[in-house]
Short mmCIF file of all heavy atoms in Angstrom, two decimals:
data_model
loop_
_atom_site.label_atom_id
_atom_site.label_comp_id
_atom_site.label_asym_id
_atom_site.label_seq_id
_atom_site.Cartn_x
_atom_site.Cartn_y
_atom_site.Cartn_z
N MET A 6 -19.82 -2.56 -5.97
CA MET A 6 -18.72 -3.53 -5.44
C MET A 6 -18.92 -4.93 -5.92
O MET A 6 -18.59 -5.85 -5.24
CB MET A 6 -18.74 -3.54 -3.89
CG MET A 6 -18.33 -2.21 -3.32
SD MET A 6 -16.56 -2.20 -3.08
CE MET A 6 -16.23 -3.25 -1.75
N CYS A 9 -15.40 -7.71 -10.70
CA CYS A 9 -15.29 -7.69 -12.20
C CYS A 9 -13.86 -8.14 -12.58
O CYS A 9 -13.00 -7.35 -12.97
CB CYS A 9 -15.47 -6.30 -12.70
SG CYS A 9 -17.11 -5.63 -12.37
N SER A 12 -12.50 -6.75 -16.05
CA SER A 12 -12.48 -5.31 -16.33
C SER A 12 -11.05 -4.93 -16.80
O SER A 12 -10.07 -5.44 -16.45
CB SER A 12 -12.69 -4.53 -14.95
OG SER A 12 -11.74 -5.08 -13.94
N PHE A 15 -8.06 -7.46 -22.13
CA PHE A 15 -8.35 -7.83 -23.51
C PHE A 15 -9.59 -8.84 -23.55
O PHE A 15 -10.12 -9.00 -24.61
CB PHE A 15 -7.19 -8.57 -24.10
CG PHE A 15 -5.91 -7.71 -24.14
CD1 PHE A 15 -4.60 -8.31 -24.19
CD2 PHE A 15 -5.96 -6.28 -24.16
CE1 PHE A 15 -3.51 -7.53 -24.32
CE2 PHE A 15 -4.83 -5.60 -24.17
CZ PHE A 15 -3.60 -6.13 -24.28
N ARG A 16 -9.86 -9.52 -22.42
CA ARG A 16 -10.95 -10.52 -22.49
C ARG A 16 -12.27 -9.91 -22.07
O ARG A 16 -12.36 -8.87 -21.44
CB ARG A 16 -10.61 -11.68 -21.59
CG ARG A 16 -10.61 -11.32 -20.07
CD ARG A 16 -10.38 -12.52 -19.16
NE ARG A 16 -10.25 -12.09 -17.79
CZ ARG A 16 -9.10 -12.00 -17.16
NH1 ARG A 16 -8.01 -12.43 -17.76
NH2 ARG A 16 -9.02 -11.53 -15.95
N TRP A 37 -4.40 -19.98 -21.32
CA TRP A 37 -3.28 -20.91 -21.59
C TRP A 37 -3.95 -22.19 -22.37
O TRP A 37 -5.05 -22.62 -21.89
CB TRP A 37 -2.59 -21.36 -20.38
CG TRP A 37 -1.61 -20.39 -19.90
CD1 TRP A 37 -0.26 -20.37 -19.98
CD2 TRP A 37 -1.92 -19.12 -19.18
NE1 TRP A 37 0.32 -19.24 -19.45
CE2 TRP A 37 -0.70 -18.46 -18.97
CE3 TRP A 37 -3.10 -18.51 -18.79
CZ2 TRP A 37 -0.56 -17.27 -18.20
CZ3 TRP A 37 -2.99 -17.29 -18.08
CH2 TRP A 37 -1.78 -16.64 -17.84
N ASN A 116 2.14 -15.88 -27.20
CA ASN A 116 3.34 -16.48 -26.89
C ASN A 116 3.23 -18.01 -27.14
O ASN A 116 2.24 -18.67 -26.70
CB ASN A 116 3.76 -16.31 -25.41
CG ASN A 116 5.17 -15.69 -25.24
OD1 ASN A 116 6.00 -15.85 -26.11
ND2 ASN A 116 5.35 -14.98 -24.13
N ARG A 145 0.59 -22.50 -11.55
CA ARG A 145 -0.48 -22.59 -12.55
C ARG A 145 -1.52 -23.73 -12.20
O ARG A 145 -2.61 -23.71 -12.69
CB ARG A 145 0.07 -22.80 -13.94
CG ARG A 145 0.66 -21.66 -14.59
CD ARG A 145 1.05 -21.87 -16.05
NE ARG A 145 2.03 -20.91 -16.49
CZ ARG A 145 2.78 -21.01 -17.53
NH1 ARG A 145 2.71 -22.14 -18.24
NH2 ARG A 145 3.65 -20.15 -17.91
N ARG A 154 -5.40 -17.64 -3.84
CA ARG A 154 -6.60 -16.77 -3.84
C ARG A 154 -7.31 -16.86 -2.48
O ARG A 154 -7.83 -15.87 -1.91
CB ARG A 154 -7.52 -17.19 -4.96
CG ARG A 154 -6.99 -16.69 -6.24
CD ARG A 154 -7.85 -17.09 -7.49
NE ARG A 154 -7.58 -16.11 -8.48
CZ ARG A 154 -6.51 -16.07 -9.23
NH1 ARG A 154 -5.57 -16.93 -9.12
NH2 ARG A 154 -6.32 -15.11 -10.13
N SER A 157 -5.50 -14.72 0.01
CA SER A 157 -5.71 -13.30 -0.25
C SER A 157 -7.16 -12.85 0.29
O SER A 157 -7.22 -11.89 0.97
CB SER A 157 -5.60 -12.97 -1.71
OG SER A 157 -6.02 -11.74 -2.05
N VAL A 170 -15.03 -3.06 11.20
CA VAL A 170 -15.94 -3.36 12.29
C VAL A 170 -15.48 -2.83 13.68
O VAL A 170 -16.22 -2.27 14.38
CB VAL A 170 -16.16 -4.93 12.36
CG1 VAL A 170 -17.13 -5.26 13.52
CG2 VAL A 170 -16.75 -5.46 10.99
N HIS A 171 -14.18 -3.12 13.91
CA HIS A 171 -13.75 -2.75 15.32
C HIS A 171 -12.76 -1.57 15.39
O HIS A 171 -12.19 -1.31 16.47
CB HIS A 171 -13.08 -3.98 15.92
CG HIS A 171 -14.01 -5.09 16.27
ND1 HIS A 171 -14.92 -4.94 17.29
CD2 HIS A 171 -14.34 -6.28 15.66
CE1 HIS A 171 -15.68 -6.02 17.32
NE2 HIS A 171 -15.43 -6.81 16.33
N ASP A 175 -4.30 0.09 10.90
CA ASP A 175 -3.21 -0.69 10.25
C ASP A 175 -1.94 0.16 10.23
O ASP A 175 -1.92 1.21 9.53
CB ASP A 175 -3.66 -0.99 8.83
CG ASP A 175 -2.66 -1.83 8.04
OD1 ASP A 175 -1.57 -2.21 8.62
OD2 ASP A 175 -2.91 -2.02 6.86
N GLU A 177 2.16 0.36 9.79
CA GLU A 177 3.44 -0.40 9.41
C GLU A 177 4.55 0.00 10.31
O GLU A 177 4.92 1.16 10.31
CB GLU A 177 3.74 -0.12 7.99
CG GLU A 177 2.80 -0.69 6.94
CD GLU A 177 3.31 -0.53 5.56
OE1 GLU A 177 4.38 -1.10 5.26
OE2 GLU A 177 2.68 0.13 4.80
N THR A 180 11.16 -2.57 9.83
CA THR A 180 11.81 -3.83 10.01
C THR A 180 13.32 -3.69 10.16
O THR A 180 13.99 -4.69 10.60
CB THR A 180 11.56 -4.77 8.71
OG1 THR A 180 11.89 -4.07 7.59
CG2 THR A 180 10.03 -5.11 8.71
N LEU A 181 13.86 -2.60 9.79
CA LEU A 181 15.32 -2.26 10.03
C LEU A 181 15.40 -1.63 11.43
O LEU A 181 15.10 -0.45 11.57
CB LEU A 181 15.89 -1.32 8.97
CG LEU A 181 16.00 -1.89 7.54
CD1 LEU A 181 16.43 -0.87 6.59
CD2 LEU A 181 16.92 -3.14 7.48
N ARG A 197 25.72 1.53 6.65
CA ARG A 197 26.79 2.27 5.87
C ARG A 197 27.94 2.59 6.86
O ARG A 197 28.99 3.00 6.48
CB ARG A 197 26.30 3.41 5.23
CG ARG A 197 25.10 3.18 4.31
CD ARG A 197 24.97 4.26 3.24
NE ARG A 197 24.79 3.68 1.99
CZ ARG A 197 25.10 4.16 0.85
NH1 ARG A 197 25.82 5.33 0.76
NH2 ARG A 197 24.87 3.54 -0.28
N VAL A 218 1.12 3.13 23.97
CA VAL A 218 1.50 4.31 24.74
C VAL A 218 1.15 5.61 23.99
O VAL A 218 0.83 6.55 24.64
CB VAL A 218 2.98 4.23 25.29
CG1 VAL A 218 3.40 5.41 26.08
CG2 VAL A 218 3.22 2.94 25.99
N ILE A 221 -2.79 4.99 20.13
CA ILE A 221 -3.32 4.50 18.82
C ILE A 221 -4.63 3.68 19.15
O ILE A 221 -5.45 3.43 18.29
CB ILE A 221 -2.38 3.69 18.04
CG1 ILE A 221 -1.27 4.75 17.53
CG2 ILE A 221 -2.92 2.90 16.93
CD1 ILE A 221 -1.84 5.79 16.58
N ASP A 222 -4.66 3.17 20.43
CA ASP A 222 -5.88 2.45 20.91
C ASP A 222 -6.07 1.04 20.41
O ASP A 222 -6.28 0.10 21.16
CB ASP A 222 -7.21 3.27 20.61
CG ASP A 222 -8.25 2.83 21.55
OD1 ASP A 222 -8.20 3.25 22.83
OD2 ASP A 222 -9.20 2.21 21.10
N ARG A 223 -6.10 0.91 19.04
CA ARG A 223 -6.19 -0.46 18.43
C ARG A 223 -5.34 -0.49 17.23
O ARG A 223 -5.49 0.17 16.27
CB ARG A 223 -7.62 -0.62 18.04
CG ARG A 223 -8.59 -0.63 19.19
CD ARG A 223 -10.05 -0.68 18.85
NE ARG A 223 -10.81 -0.82 20.02
CZ ARG A 223 -11.89 -1.46 20.26
NH1 ARG A 223 -12.47 -2.06 19.19
NH2 ARG A 223 -12.51 -1.59 21.40
N TYR A 231 11.05 -12.05 10.92
CA TYR A 231 12.31 -12.74 10.40
C TYR A 231 12.95 -13.57 11.57
O TYR A 231 12.86 -13.08 12.73
CB TYR A 231 13.36 -11.75 9.89
CG TYR A 231 12.85 -10.91 8.77
CD1 TYR A 231 12.07 -9.72 8.93
CD2 TYR A 231 13.14 -11.29 7.44
CE1 TYR A 231 11.62 -8.98 7.92
CE2 TYR A 231 12.64 -10.55 6.37
CZ TYR A 231 11.87 -9.40 6.63
OH TYR A 231 11.43 -8.63 5.59
N ASP A 233 16.38 -16.12 12.14
CA ASP A 233 17.60 -16.68 11.46
C ASP A 233 17.97 -17.97 12.23
O ASP A 233 18.82 -18.07 13.09
CB ASP A 233 18.76 -15.71 11.61
CG ASP A 233 19.95 -16.23 10.92
OD1 ASP A 233 19.85 -17.20 10.12
OD2 ASP A 233 21.04 -15.69 11.15
N GLU A 243 11.66 -15.99 6.73
CA GLU A 243 10.69 -14.88 6.78
C GLU A 243 9.31 -15.43 6.71
O GLU A 243 9.02 -16.38 6.04
CB GLU A 243 10.96 -13.88 5.75
CG GLU A 243 10.90 -14.28 4.29
CD GLU A 243 11.16 -13.22 3.33
OE1 GLU A 243 10.61 -11.99 3.52
OE2 GLU A 243 11.86 -13.37 2.33
N THR A 245 4.81 -14.33 7.98
CA THR A 245 3.90 -13.32 8.24
C THR A 245 3.02 -13.74 9.35
O THR A 245 2.48 -14.79 9.40
CB THR A 245 3.12 -12.96 6.99
OG1 THR A 245 3.88 -12.59 5.94
CG2 THR A 245 2.09 -11.91 7.21
N PHE A 253 -7.09 -0.79 26.95
CA PHE A 253 -8.33 -0.90 27.79
C PHE A 253 -9.04 -2.19 27.65
O PHE A 253 -10.23 -2.12 27.28
CB PHE A 253 -9.19 0.37 27.47
CG PHE A 253 -8.46 1.72 27.59
CD1 PHE A 253 -8.29 2.45 26.45
CD2 PHE A 253 -7.91 2.11 28.80
CE1 PHE A 253 -7.59 3.59 26.61
CE2 PHE A 253 -7.18 3.30 28.89
CZ PHE A 253 -7.04 4.05 27.80
N TYR A 269 -15.59 -14.42 11.36
CA TYR A 269 -15.94 -13.52 10.26
C TYR A 269 -15.21 -13.87 8.97
O TYR A 269 -15.74 -13.71 7.88
CB TYR A 269 -15.51 -12.06 10.72
CG TYR A 269 -15.91 -11.02 9.74
CD1 TYR A 269 -17.17 -10.35 9.81
CD2 TYR A 269 -15.06 -10.66 8.71
CE1 TYR A 269 -17.52 -9.43 8.95
CE2 TYR A 269 -15.39 -9.66 7.76
CZ TYR A 269 -16.60 -9.03 7.85
OH TYR A 269 -16.99 -7.99 7.02
N HIS A 459 1.67 -2.74 32.27
CA HIS A 459 1.66 -1.40 31.90
C HIS A 459 2.16 -0.37 32.91
O HIS A 459 2.08 0.83 32.71
CB HIS A 459 0.24 -0.98 31.42
CG HIS A 459 -0.76 -0.89 32.56
ND1 HIS A 459 -1.40 -1.98 33.15
CD2 HIS A 459 -1.29 0.20 33.28
CE1 HIS A 459 -2.23 -1.57 34.03
NE2 HIS A 459 -2.13 -0.26 34.14
N SER A 488 5.13 7.32 30.97
CA SER A 488 4.61 8.53 30.27
C SER A 488 3.18 8.47 29.93
O SER A 488 2.70 9.01 29.02
CB SER A 488 5.42 8.76 28.99
OG SER A 488 6.78 8.65 29.22
N GLY A 489 2.42 7.66 30.81
CA GLY A 489 0.99 7.50 30.50
C GLY A 489 0.70 6.32 29.65
O GLY A 489 0.12 6.45 28.51
N ALA A 490 1.02 5.13 30.04
CA ALA A 490 0.70 3.91 29.33
C ALA A 490 -0.63 3.35 29.74
O ALA A 490 -0.87 3.14 30.96
CB ALA A 490 1.84 2.90 29.56
N MET B 6 -21.67 -4.39 9.72
CA MET B 6 -20.38 -3.74 9.47
C MET B 6 -20.41 -2.25 9.85
O MET B 6 -19.80 -1.37 9.32
CB MET B 6 -20.08 -3.74 7.94
CG MET B 6 -19.81 -5.09 7.38
SD MET B 6 -18.10 -5.55 7.58
CE MET B 6 -17.35 -4.56 6.35
N CYS B 9 -17.50 -0.10 15.43
CA CYS B 9 -17.67 -0.19 16.84
C CYS B 9 -16.35 0.03 17.58
O CYS B 9 -15.68 -0.94 18.01
CB CYS B 9 -18.25 -1.44 17.31
SG CYS B 9 -19.81 -1.83 16.58
N SER B 12 -16.04 -1.55 21.15
CA SER B 12 -16.35 -2.98 21.40
C SER B 12 -15.22 -3.64 22.20
O SER B 12 -14.05 -3.27 22.12
CB SER B 12 -16.43 -3.68 20.06
OG SER B 12 -15.22 -3.40 19.28
N PHE B 15 -12.92 -1.57 28.05
CA PHE B 15 -13.45 -1.16 29.29
C PHE B 15 -14.39 0.11 29.25
O PHE B 15 -15.13 0.40 30.17
CB PHE B 15 -12.28 -0.74 30.24
CG PHE B 15 -11.29 -1.80 30.56
CD1 PHE B 15 -9.93 -1.42 30.93
CD2 PHE B 15 -11.63 -3.18 30.46
CE1 PHE B 15 -9.00 -2.42 31.17
CE2 PHE B 15 -10.70 -4.13 30.78
CZ PHE B 15 -9.36 -3.77 31.07
N ARG B 16 -14.36 0.74 28.03
CA ARG B 16 -15.19 2.00 27.93
C ARG B 16 -16.48 1.59 27.28
O ARG B 16 -16.59 0.60 26.53
CB ARG B 16 -14.48 3.03 27.07
CG ARG B 16 -14.23 2.55 25.63
CD ARG B 16 -13.49 3.67 24.82
NE ARG B 16 -13.18 3.24 23.51
CZ ARG B 16 -11.96 2.86 23.16
NH1 ARG B 16 -10.94 3.05 23.91
NH2 ARG B 16 -11.77 2.34 21.90
N TRP B 37 -6.74 9.83 28.42
CA TRP B 37 -5.61 10.62 28.99
C TRP B 37 -6.04 11.94 29.50
O TRP B 37 -6.93 12.52 28.94
CB TRP B 37 -4.53 10.84 27.90
CG TRP B 37 -3.68 9.63 27.63
CD1 TRP B 37 -2.45 9.35 28.01
CD2 TRP B 37 -4.08 8.45 26.82
NE1 TRP B 37 -1.97 8.15 27.57
CE2 TRP B 37 -2.97 7.55 26.76
CE3 TRP B 37 -5.24 8.09 26.08
CZ2 TRP B 37 -2.98 6.37 26.12
CZ3 TRP B 37 -5.26 6.91 25.43
CH2 TRP B 37 -4.18 6.05 25.41
N ASN B 116 -2.63 4.75 35.40
CA ASN B 116 -1.22 5.03 35.35
C ASN B 116 -1.03 6.53 35.55
O ASN B 116 -1.74 7.26 35.03
CB ASN B 116 -0.55 4.62 34.04
CG ASN B 116 0.70 3.82 34.15
OD1 ASN B 116 1.38 3.83 35.17
ND2 ASN B 116 0.99 3.09 33.14
N ARG B 119 4.60 10.79 34.64
CA ARG B 119 5.67 11.67 35.06
C ARG B 119 5.65 12.91 34.29
O ARG B 119 4.88 12.99 33.30
CB ARG B 119 7.08 10.92 34.86
CG ARG B 119 7.32 10.70 33.41
CD ARG B 119 8.68 10.00 33.11
NE ARG B 119 8.76 9.62 31.74
CZ ARG B 119 9.34 10.35 30.79
NH1 ARG B 119 9.92 11.54 31.10
NH2 ARG B 119 9.41 10.00 29.59
N ARG B 145 0.64 11.18 19.99
CA ARG B 145 -0.56 11.43 20.72
C ARG B 145 -1.29 12.76 20.16
O ARG B 145 -2.41 12.93 20.52
CB ARG B 145 -0.29 11.61 22.18
CG ARG B 145 -0.07 10.30 22.91
CD ARG B 145 0.02 10.44 24.42
NE ARG B 145 0.64 9.39 25.03
CZ ARG B 145 1.17 9.35 26.25
NH1 ARG B 145 1.14 10.52 27.00
NH2 ARG B 145 1.71 8.27 26.75
N ARG B 154 -4.40 7.42 11.00
CA ARG B 154 -5.71 6.83 10.69
C ARG B 154 -6.13 7.02 9.23
O ARG B 154 -6.64 6.17 8.63
CB ARG B 154 -6.79 7.34 11.68
CG ARG B 154 -6.68 6.85 12.97
CD ARG B 154 -7.65 7.35 14.01
NE ARG B 154 -7.81 6.43 15.09
CZ ARG B 154 -7.04 6.16 16.05
NH1 ARG B 154 -5.81 6.80 16.08
NH2 ARG B 154 -7.28 5.25 16.97
N SER B 157 -4.20 4.42 7.16
CA SER B 157 -4.87 3.11 7.31
C SER B 157 -6.09 3.02 6.45
O SER B 157 -6.36 2.00 5.87
CB SER B 157 -5.14 2.90 8.80
OG SER B 157 -5.81 1.69 9.04
N VAL B 170 -13.32 -5.32 -6.06
CA VAL B 170 -13.96 -4.78 -7.29
C VAL B 170 -13.33 -5.45 -8.48
O VAL B 170 -13.98 -5.93 -9.42
CB VAL B 170 -13.84 -3.22 -7.34
CG1 VAL B 170 -14.43 -2.70 -8.66
CG2 VAL B 170 -14.54 -2.56 -6.20
N HIS B 171 -11.94 -5.46 -8.56
CA HIS B 171 -11.27 -5.91 -9.72
C HIS B 171 -10.58 -7.28 -9.62
O HIS B 171 -9.90 -7.63 -10.60
CB HIS B 171 -10.29 -4.85 -10.24
CG HIS B 171 -10.89 -3.60 -10.70
ND1 HIS B 171 -11.63 -3.60 -11.88
CD2 HIS B 171 -11.12 -2.41 -10.22
CE1 HIS B 171 -12.18 -2.32 -12.09
NE2 HIS B 171 -11.81 -1.62 -11.12
N ASP B 175 -3.86 -10.54 -3.50
CA ASP B 175 -2.78 -9.96 -2.65
C ASP B 175 -1.77 -11.12 -2.36
O ASP B 175 -2.11 -12.04 -1.76
CB ASP B 175 -3.43 -9.57 -1.30
CG ASP B 175 -2.44 -8.88 -0.35
OD1 ASP B 175 -1.32 -8.74 -0.67
OD2 ASP B 175 -2.90 -8.56 0.76
N GLU B 177 2.08 -12.04 -1.07
CA GLU B 177 3.35 -11.55 -0.41
C GLU B 177 4.52 -12.16 -1.02
O GLU B 177 4.68 -13.46 -1.06
CB GLU B 177 3.27 -11.93 1.11
CG GLU B 177 2.25 -11.07 1.85
CD GLU B 177 2.46 -11.29 3.32
OE1 GLU B 177 3.55 -11.02 3.85
OE2 GLU B 177 1.46 -11.86 3.94
N THR B 180 11.25 -11.01 0.82
CA THR B 180 12.19 -9.88 0.90
C THR B 180 13.61 -10.35 1.06
O THR B 180 14.54 -9.59 0.71
CB THR B 180 11.88 -8.97 2.01
OG1 THR B 180 11.72 -9.62 3.28
CG2 THR B 180 10.51 -8.27 1.75
N LEU B 181 13.83 -11.62 1.43
CA LEU B 181 15.18 -12.14 1.49
C LEU B 181 15.42 -12.85 0.15
O LEU B 181 14.95 -13.93 -0.05
CB LEU B 181 15.32 -13.21 2.70
CG LEU B 181 15.27 -12.55 4.06
CD1 LEU B 181 15.25 -13.66 5.17
CD2 LEU B 181 16.43 -11.58 4.39
N ARG B 197 23.60 -18.00 6.99
CA ARG B 197 24.41 -18.87 7.85
C ARG B 197 25.59 -19.47 7.13
O ARG B 197 26.46 -20.06 7.81
CB ARG B 197 23.53 -19.97 8.45
CG ARG B 197 22.31 -19.35 9.11
CD ARG B 197 21.71 -20.41 9.98
NE ARG B 197 21.26 -19.68 11.25
CZ ARG B 197 21.30 -20.27 12.49
NH1 ARG B 197 21.65 -21.57 12.53
NH2 ARG B 197 20.98 -19.59 13.51
N VAL B 218 3.40 -14.83 -15.25
CA VAL B 218 3.82 -16.08 -15.96
C VAL B 218 3.10 -17.28 -15.21
O VAL B 218 2.75 -18.23 -15.90
CB VAL B 218 5.39 -16.37 -16.03
CG1 VAL B 218 5.60 -17.63 -16.74
CG2 VAL B 218 5.99 -15.12 -16.75
N ILE B 221 -1.37 -15.78 -12.30
CA ILE B 221 -2.12 -15.20 -11.23
C ILE B 221 -3.07 -14.16 -11.73
O ILE B 221 -4.03 -13.80 -11.06
CB ILE B 221 -1.15 -14.65 -10.18
CG1 ILE B 221 -0.46 -15.74 -9.43
CG2 ILE B 221 -1.83 -13.63 -9.22
CD1 ILE B 221 -1.40 -16.69 -8.67
N ASP B 222 -2.86 -13.67 -12.94
CA ASP B 222 -3.72 -12.77 -13.73
C ASP B 222 -3.67 -11.30 -13.12
O ASP B 222 -3.49 -10.42 -13.92
CB ASP B 222 -5.15 -13.24 -13.73
CG ASP B 222 -5.95 -12.67 -14.86
OD1 ASP B 222 -5.69 -13.05 -16.00
OD2 ASP B 222 -6.78 -11.83 -14.64
N ARG B 223 -3.95 -11.16 -11.86
CA ARG B 223 -3.93 -9.74 -11.27
C ARG B 223 -3.30 -9.86 -9.92
O ARG B 223 -3.90 -10.52 -9.03
CB ARG B 223 -5.40 -9.27 -11.20
CG ARG B 223 -6.04 -9.12 -12.54
CD ARG B 223 -7.47 -8.77 -12.50
NE ARG B 223 -7.85 -8.50 -13.76
CZ ARG B 223 -8.84 -7.63 -14.22
NH1 ARG B 223 -9.44 -6.95 -13.34
NH2 ARG B 223 -9.02 -7.45 -15.54
N TYR B 231 13.27 -1.73 0.03
CA TYR B 231 14.53 -1.31 0.82
C TYR B 231 15.57 -0.63 -0.25
O TYR B 231 15.64 -1.05 -1.32
CB TYR B 231 15.20 -2.47 1.45
CG TYR B 231 14.32 -3.16 2.38
CD1 TYR B 231 13.39 -4.16 1.99
CD2 TYR B 231 14.40 -2.85 3.82
CE1 TYR B 231 12.62 -4.76 2.91
CE2 TYR B 231 13.56 -3.45 4.66
CZ TYR B 231 12.71 -4.47 4.26
OH TYR B 231 11.83 -5.00 5.20
N ASP B 233 19.47 1.07 0.04
CA ASP B 233 20.59 1.45 0.84
C ASP B 233 21.41 2.55 0.24
O ASP B 233 22.38 2.46 -0.35
CB ASP B 233 21.60 0.24 0.99
CG ASP B 233 22.77 0.52 1.94
OD1 ASP B 233 22.61 1.50 2.71
OD2 ASP B 233 23.71 -0.18 1.86
N GLU B 243 13.82 2.09 4.28
CA GLU B 243 12.69 1.22 4.02
C GLU B 243 11.44 2.04 3.76
O GLU B 243 11.24 3.04 4.41
CB GLU B 243 12.50 0.14 5.06
CG GLU B 243 12.15 0.59 6.42
CD GLU B 243 11.95 -0.56 7.46
OE1 GLU B 243 11.28 -1.49 7.16
OE2 GLU B 243 12.53 -0.42 8.59
N THR B 245 7.21 1.88 1.63
CA THR B 245 6.16 1.00 1.15
C THR B 245 5.63 1.51 -0.18
O THR B 245 5.41 2.75 -0.32
CB THR B 245 5.06 0.88 2.19
OG1 THR B 245 5.54 0.37 3.35
CG2 THR B 245 3.89 0.05 1.70
N PHE B 253 -2.86 -9.42 -19.85
CA PHE B 253 -3.85 -9.16 -20.84
C PHE B 253 -4.30 -7.75 -20.77
O PHE B 253 -5.55 -7.51 -20.76
CB PHE B 253 -4.96 -10.16 -20.84
CG PHE B 253 -4.52 -11.54 -20.75
CD1 PHE B 253 -4.72 -12.42 -19.66
CD2 PHE B 253 -3.85 -12.10 -21.78
CE1 PHE B 253 -4.24 -13.74 -19.63
CE2 PHE B 253 -3.36 -13.49 -21.82
CZ PHE B 253 -3.64 -14.24 -20.72
N TYR B 269 -11.56 5.94 -6.07
CA TYR B 269 -12.27 5.15 -5.11
C TYR B 269 -11.84 5.34 -3.66
O TYR B 269 -12.62 5.36 -2.67
CB TYR B 269 -12.17 3.64 -5.46
CG TYR B 269 -12.93 2.74 -4.60
CD1 TYR B 269 -14.17 2.34 -5.03
CD2 TYR B 269 -12.41 2.22 -3.42
CE1 TYR B 269 -14.97 1.47 -4.20
CE2 TYR B 269 -13.12 1.29 -2.64
CZ TYR B 269 -14.41 0.97 -3.06
OH TYR B 269 -15.14 0.05 -2.26
N HIS B 459 7.12 -9.45 -23.11
CA HIS B 459 6.61 -10.77 -22.69
C HIS B 459 7.15 -11.86 -23.59
O HIS B 459 6.82 -13.06 -23.43
CB HIS B 459 5.09 -10.83 -22.60
CG HIS B 459 4.40 -10.82 -23.93
ND1 HIS B 459 4.10 -9.59 -24.52
CD2 HIS B 459 3.86 -11.69 -24.78
CE1 HIS B 459 3.45 -9.79 -25.65
NE2 HIS B 459 3.31 -11.13 -25.85
N SER B 488 8.03 -19.94 -21.25
CA SER B 488 7.19 -20.97 -20.72
C SER B 488 5.71 -20.60 -20.78
O SER B 488 4.93 -21.04 -19.93
CB SER B 488 7.57 -21.33 -19.30
OG SER B 488 8.99 -21.54 -19.20
N GLY B 489 5.33 -19.74 -21.64
CA GLY B 489 3.89 -19.30 -21.70
C GLY B 489 3.64 -18.07 -20.89
O GLY B 489 2.91 -18.11 -19.96
N ALA B 490 4.38 -16.96 -21.22
CA ALA B 490 4.19 -15.66 -20.47
C ALA B 490 3.10 -14.87 -21.21
O ALA B 490 3.09 -14.70 -22.42
CB ALA B 490 5.49 -14.88 -20.48
#
Side-chain angles (χ1 to χ4, degrees):
Chain A
M6 291 273 289
C9 299
S12 53
F15 301 155
R16 65 177 174 255
W37 283 257
N116 232 336
R145 284 188 199 161
R154 288 180 153 74
S157 172
V170 179
H171 290 288
D175 180 6
E177 289 190 61
T180 55
L181 293 173
R197 306 201 135 210
V218 180
I221 289 302
D222 200 73
R223 298 173 173 214
Y231 299 86
D233 185 16
E243 59 179 315
T245 298
F253 309 114
Y269 185 91
H459 69 277
S488 309
Chain B
M6 290 274 289
C9 300
S12 53
F15 302 154
R16 65 178 174 254
W37 284 257
N116 231 336
R119 67 179 171 93
R145 284 187 199 162
R154 287 180 154 72
S157 172
V170 179
H171 290 288
D175 180 6
E177 289 190 60
T180 55
L181 293 173
R197 307 200 135 209
V218 179
I221 289 302
D222 200 74
R223 299 174 171 213
Y231 299 86
D233 184 16
E243 60 179 315
T245 298
F253 308 114
Y269 186 92
H459 69 277
S488 310

